[in-house]
Amino acid sequence: AVTAFFDIVSDEDRRFRFLSSVRHLTAAQVHDITAFDYGRHETILALLPGTEHTIAAATLAADQAGKTAEVAISIDPDYKGRGIGWTLLDHTAAEARLWGVRTLQSIESRENHAAISLEREKGFVARAVEGDSALVLLERQF
């Protein structure tokens, strides 16, 4: 399901998600996305109601100390603009708080205006990524 989903995500959105040009996920990438360790790492798949068709994926991964976590969200291009990103960001933020995370982060390409705007609306603060002017780090404190 994860492989099929990322095959339909736009080239630009895959580049934003993986911060590099990715045409098709490798087995290692699929393993990394689907690895589950409660309180440390999980990926939530949003399915089209009544089907097994994945329309979005949100990955939440905490650091070793469990105090900082990163979120990454991808959405099927046919389902963008319907509030799915908002819902997944709210859900992952709530899950991170349950884990005891104090800081939720997202690393974005400066070109990903939609994600940066959404995260700012959700209380994230942007700052530069040291050593990489093409990226921005967005953080939300709990």
Side-chain angles (χ1 to χ4, degrees):
V2 170
T3 301
F5 169 70
F6 279 103
D7 281 349
I8 62 170
V9 169
S10 72
D11 291 342
E12 180 180 60
D13 284 345
R14 271 193 309 278
R15 182 172 57 83
F16 289 157
R17 170 62 175 82
F18 298 101
L19 300 176
S20 66
S21 182
V22 174
R23 198 99 169 106
H24 184 74
L25 268 59
T26 65
Q29 288 170 312
V30 172
H31 177 269
D32 289 346
I33 290 169
T34 59
F36 178 78
D37 182 5
Y38 183 76
R40 300 292 260 207
H41 186 278
E42 69 181 35
T43 294
I44 298 110
L45 300 179
L47 305 178
L48 187 62
T51 74
E52 293 183 15
H53 177 72
T54 302
I55 58 173
T59 300
L60 180 62
D63 65 2
Q64 286 290 72
K67 298 302 176 196
T68 301
E70 183 179 348
V71 62
I73 298 172
S74 299
I75 301 171
D76 178 326
D78 292 338
Y79 294 90
K80 286 187 171 188
R82 299 182 187 195
I84 296 167
W86 280 75
T87 301
L88 286 173
L89 190 55
D90 285 344
H91 180 77
T92 55
E95 189 71 11
R97 283 192 301 272
L98 286 175
W99 293 359
V101 168
R102 306 301 303 153
T103 304
L104 186 59
Q105 299 179 329
S106 179
I107 300 171
E108 303 289 356
S109 164
R110 287 190 182 275
E111 298 173 21
N112 195 351
H113 303 289
I116 293 168
S117 177
L118 167 66
E119 291 159 359
R120 282 185 167 161
E121 289 177 35
K122 289 293 186 177
F124 285 70
V125 176
R127 65 181 169 92
V129 172
E130 189 175 322
D132 195 334
S133 62
L135 300 177
V136 63
L137 175 66
L138 291 109
E139 292 184 311
R140 180 176 169 193
Q141 305 295 320
F142 299 121

